[in-house]
Amino acid sequence: MTTQSYTPDLSNGADNFYVSDAVTKEAVSFPTIYRGSVAGNLFRPKAAAANSRLPALVVGHPMGAVKEQSANLYAQKMADRGYVTLAIDLPFWGDSEGARNRVSPDMYAEAFNAAVDFLGTRDFVARDSIGAIGICGSGSFVISAAKIDPRIRAVATISMYDMGQANRNGLGKSVSVEDRKAIIAEAAQQRWVEVEGGELRYTSGSPHEITGNAIGDEFYDFYRTPRGAVIPTGQTADTTTHPTLSSNTKFMNFYPFEDIETISPRPMLFIAGATAHSKEFSEDAFERAGEPKELYWVEGAGHVDLYDRIDLIPFDKLESFFGQALSQAPQEM
């Protein structure tokens, strides 16, 4: 089946490009502690009282995506419910600075920490009431960020991928150590190509055609059709969603769930589709996390469904979770 003849599945309220009339939107940028610039969209409820300080949320997009894919939707829906929200582009993606499509889990986590810096210095944000939402790969990045930043008072993950495990072991631990070594060797050889002036190579990301592979077709339906396709400035459809091969091995050294229990007593909420191919990662994180914690299954939902299907995404659950977590006085860490 070709791209031209494919009809995107817009069932269950798929609405990635939702625009709320109840909030204001402002394009912003802010520095990391390394002085790289992170881009974001800042949303504020129009109905907020003048001079009020509101709770705030940082929202991170799926791995390989940009803020216009899923993160803006979540940010606006939560702003509709009274939060100041900031949807960010991870470094090297979208409008944020850095070489395009590079992988750096540490820098991705730092983007969340820097977003807290930014929000906490706005006079309309309650500094002690900042939480974070990580979608897909950003679920693992926000956990990494929260482990070393108690200013993130509560964490919710959506359809989380542990990008370390996914690259080391594959889904269902389908990648052997020998497979992993071969991937690492290929990436190392590609570094020689690049240092000598050769062309970049890309890996993983969303497929560009329907293949009959259920997981690949699920991603295709979002990233390669009008349902969710976005081509950032300076990119092409051939490079969107794809990390560079030479940098993707940085995920092999990424262990976000190690010491996850140290986030406690800050609450954590893991939301996943009951039929999601990625549910193993939310289950693993939940098992390791300290209290208070909750694993929330969305019946009838797969992995990508929770990117944009507003009839399935449990916004009421997110509102109640953050409403309780961010209304409490800060606890001793």
Side-chain angles (χ1 to χ4, degrees):
M1 184 178 294
T2 65
T3 303
Q4 287 75 22
S5 65
Y6 185 79
T7 301
D9 180 1
L10 300 177
S11 62
N12 293 314
D15 196 7
N16 179 67
F17 299 108
Y18 169 80
V19 175
S20 173
D21 294 329
V23 306
T24 62
K25 173 186 174 183
E26 179 186 0
V28 300
S29 63
F30 48 91
T32 69
I33 58 172
Y34 304 103
R35 294 298 176 256
S37 180
V38 174
N41 287 326
L42 180 69
F43 299 98
R44 298 174 60 186
K46 291 180 180 177
N51 302 319
S52 60
R53 290 181 179 268
L54 300 178
L57 301 171
V58 185
V59 184
H61 56 73
M63 178 59 206
V66 292
K67 61 186 178 298
E68 290 79 13
Q69 292 168 310
S70 194
N72 271 359
L73 168 61
Y74 273 79
Q76 288 180 92
K77 285 291 188 179
M78 295 307 290
D80 284 344
R81 293 161 183 259
Y83 294 85
V84 173
T85 59
L86 178 60
I88 61 172
D89 277 328
L90 297 176
F92 319 117
W93 300 90
D95 296 318
S96 288
E97 286 187 346
R100 296 299 81 191
N101 299 39
R102 296 308 200 276
V103 168
S104 176
D106 282 347
M107 292 304 298
Y108 296 164
E110 165 59 21
F112 281 93
N113 301 137
V116 174
D117 295 341
F118 175 83
L119 286 171
T121 51
R122 305 306 101 181
D123 60 10
F124 47 82
V125 168
R127 178 180 286 191
D128 289 331
S129 297
I130 299 174
I133 297 172
I135 305 162
C136 186
S138 278
S140 57
F141 310 144
V142 73
I143 288 172
S144 182
K147 287 192 299 184
I148 58 170
D149 193 344
R151 301 174 304 165
I152 300 175
R153 305 300 310 175
V155 172
T157 68
I158 314 293
S159 291
M160 179 172 54
Y161 251 77
D162 174 347
M163 295 306 299
Q165 286 193 56
N167 281 272
R168 283 188 301 275
N169 305 320
L171 291 171
K173 295 182 171 54
S174 58
V175 174
S176 69
V177 173
E178 291 307 312
D179 292 336
R180 186 192 313 169
K181 288 181 177 180
I183 293 167
I184 292 171
E186 183 182 19
Q189 287 302 311
Q190 176 60 22
R191 289 186 69 118
W192 287 126
V193 173
E194 291 176 21
V195 78
E196 291 171 351
E199 292 187 1
L200 292 174
R201 288 178 61 195
Y202 298 88
T203 187
S204 59
S206 168
H208 292 256
E209 59 185 16
I210 291 293
T211 66
N213 174 281
I215 296 174
D217 290 354
E218 184 181 6
F219 285 115
Y220 173 93
D221 190 69
F222 181 79
Y223 286 110
R224 303 300 176 189
T225 75
R227 174 183 164 191
V230 174
I231 301 177
T233 302
Q235 293 269 282
T236 70
D238 290 336
T239 59
T240 59
T241 80
H242 297 294
T244 60
L245 175 64
S246 58
S247 70
N248 200 60
T249 50
K250 298 295 185 181
F251 280 136
M252 301 292 187
N253 283 338
F254 183 47
Y255 294 83
F257 298 169
E258 292 296 319
D259 299 325
I260 189 175
E261 71 278 5
T262 62
I263 294 174
S264 175
R266 290 171 287 156
M268 303 191 73
L269 171 64
F270 306 98
I271 296 176
T275 62
H277 67 263
S278 57
K279 60 191 297 184
E280 65 185 273
F281 302 122
S282 293
E283 291 172 328
D284 187 16
F286 174 76
E287 179 66 25
R288 299 187 192 202
E291 296 288 353
K293 61 183 178 181
E294 182 177 358
L295 180 57
Y296 185 91
W297 296 116
V298 180
E299 295 299 325
H303 177 86
V304 178
D305 288 329
L306 299 186
Y307 285 11
D308 68 336
R309 297 191 189 280
I310 58 176
D311 293 348
L312 291 173
I313 298 169
F315 289 111
D316 288 346
K317 180 63 178 179
L318 286 167
E319 181 180 10
S320 63
F321 170 73
F322 284 113
Q324 179 177 0
L326 301 183
S327 65
Q328 298 172 349
Q331 303 175 56
E332 192 69 28
M333 293 299 144

